[in-house]
Amino acid sequence: MKAVSLTGPGQVAITEITEPVSKQGEVLLRVEMVGLCGTDLNSFRGKNPLITYPRVIGHEIAATVLEGSVSIPAGTRVTVSPYTHCGHCAACSHGRVNACQFNQTFGVQRDGAMTELLSVSADKLYPSSLSFKELCLVEPLTVGVHAAARARVDSKDIVAVYGCGGVGLGAIAGAAFRGATTIAIDLDDEKLETARAAGAVHLIHSSRDNVHERLQEISGGFGPDVVIEAIGLPDTFRAAVEEVGFTGRIVYIGYAKELVSYETRLFVQKELDIMGSRNALPQDFREVMAILEAGRFPVDRAVSTIVPLTEAPAMLAKWSENPASFTKIMVSL
């Protein structure tokens, strides 16, 4: 069967791989659609330290059950949690299996879903009547929704989100779904308008607006209760600490590509809760599906491009050359 494989940095091809044989407790799926994300782009560029080559990519999955069970019969539409957990590391023992020390994610540490058939453990499946396009958005949105959960966002909060890419949009949608007053910060007008459709009440264009003044104005001079960083730049890492209000909560999703210097006095003076956020938990998948079922996310606006499997290699190269030209890319199988 056909698969999209990275054979090395900057090298991608459609290859033939062996069809999977389902093990005990697994369900055979026909893959319908797979989303591309920043992890796939970094893997293509050779900048993902976790990947080894060759590797079939893809972990944002919409599929149909081919060989099911009583609980998940054949023909059921599903999305998939692409992570594993060992069950015995510190994270797993604390019930935070999303942060398993020995996690293996589809398309990174193990072959992914950009292929025709996939065999997956039944407990990683989330059945739904959502469209394949919607199901393909569930996993990327869970990453931002998990950050909102980490921040303990509720309806009393003012939440500022730096970055309106796919992950930032998930954080915005998650915060808005919990009733918070949500602020989107980005330097792209189209992304900001998509953020508005996802639930942002206030938009701040970071290259035209004075971000500090706008945040102070919106928050009555106190700063946001929560800042979620979904970009991964030293400037926005620092800005989160500088702009959040006293006793505020900061959640970092983005990876800064270089060392970050802080005025650590603010950590103590403001008595901040500073947290990382990684992957997602089952409740995050269920929350995203509820958001989509309620029509609370602009699916068509958020997806910029859908291509067939045969065009996926060329699409990856085009995306790498001009990443700002695309939002969410999906591959239809």
Side-chain angles (χ1 to χ4, degrees):
M1 63 181 184
K2 291 181 171 59
V4 176
S5 299
L6 295 178
T7 56
Q11 300 173 13
V12 59
I14 296 176
T15 59
E16 289 287 333
I17 64 172
T18 304
E19 290 190 4
V21 176
S22 296
K23 301 174 185 175
Q24 182 70 28
E26 291 186 341
V27 174
L28 184 65
L29 306 177
R30 181 177 66 243
V31 179
E32 306 286 357
M33 192 170 282
V34 179
L36 292 172
C37 80
T39 298
D40 301 307
L41 181 60
N42 284 332
S43 297
F44 173 75
R45 289 172 162 177
K47 295 182 178 180
N48 182 352
L50 300 178
I51 198 169
T52 55
Y53 304 99
R55 179 66 67 218
V56 177
I57 59 172
H59 63 269
E60 302 175 358
I61 306 164
T64 301
V65 174
L66 281 183
E67 297 176 4
S69 63
V70 174
S71 59
I72 310 179
T76 304
R77 293 183 177 192
V78 296
T79 191
V80 180
S81 173
Y83 323 118
T84 65
H85 61 276
C86 69
H88 61 261
C89 71
C92 288
S93 66
H94 294 139
R96 292 166 64 178
V97 295
N98 60 298
C100 174
Q101 184 176 349
F102 305 104
N103 166 67
Q104 292 191 330
T105 299
F106 276 137
V108 184
Q109 296 97 340
R110 56 180 175 148
D111 281 342
M114 197 81 73
T115 186
E116 297 171 80
L117 301 175
L118 193 66
S119 187
V120 178
S121 176
D123 64 359
K124 298 293 183 181
L125 302 182
Y126 294 87
S128 175
S129 60
L130 292 168
S131 70
F132 292 129
K133 187 192 291 188
E134 290 169 323
L135 286 170
C136 206
L137 277 174
V138 171
E139 191 278 338
L141 292 177
T142 63
V143 178
V145 164
H146 182 67
R150 288 278 286 149
R152 308 184 301 279
V153 170
D154 66 26
S155 59
K156 300 186 296 297
D157 288 324
I158 296 173
V159 179
V161 179
Y162 279 89
C164 297
V167 171
L169 288 174
I172 288 163
F177 196 63
R178 292 161 180 255
T181 299
T182 307
I183 306 163
I185 306 169
D186 204 290
L187 45 68
D188 184 287
D189 285 314
E190 282 295 315
K191 289 182 178 179
L192 285 169
E193 286 304 319
T194 303
R196 189 198 302 276
V201 177
H202 303 281
L203 310 180
I204 300 178
H205 193 291
S206 53
S207 69
R208 289 199 304 259
D209 301 330
N210 185 309
V211 176
H212 173 72
E213 289 181 0
R214 290 283 288 120
L215 289 175
Q216 288 291 297
E217 174 189 336
I218 295 165
S219 65
F222 294 113
D225 303 289
V226 173
V227 175
I228 298 174
E229 201 282 347
I231 298 175
L233 294 174
D235 285 349
T236 47
F237 263 63
R238 282 188 291 268
V241 170
E242 293 164 359
E243 298 297 347
V244 74
F246 276 62
T247 69
R249 287 151 277 152
I250 295 168
V251 180
Y252 290 122
I253 317 174
Y255 286 2
K257 308 303 186 292
E258 55 191 274
L259 294 177
V260 181
S261 298
Y262 282 101
E263 174 52 79
T264 55
R265 169 184 56 83
L266 296 175
F267 295 10
V268 177
Q269 187 178 359
K270 291 185 176 182
E271 198 176 37
L272 300 177
D273 290 354
I274 301 175
M275 295 165 277
S277 183
R278 180 185 177 195
N279 298 336
L281 288 164
Q283 56 262 38
D284 303 311
F285 279 81
R286 290 190 286 270
E287 186 170 338
V288 169
M289 292 167 76
I291 290 170
L292 291 168
E293 287 164 359
R296 297 279 298 270
F297 189 81
V299 173
D300 291 334
R301 187 181 181 95
V303 178
S304 61
T305 309
I306 300 176
V307 298
L309 181 73
T310 53
E311 295 179 19
M315 188 72 251
L316 261 173
K318 188 182 297 185
W319 186 27
S320 180
E321 291 168 4
N322 193 2
S325 296
F326 303 94
T327 49
K328 173 55 65 182
I329 300 167
M330 292 182 178
V331 177
S332 176
L333 285 83

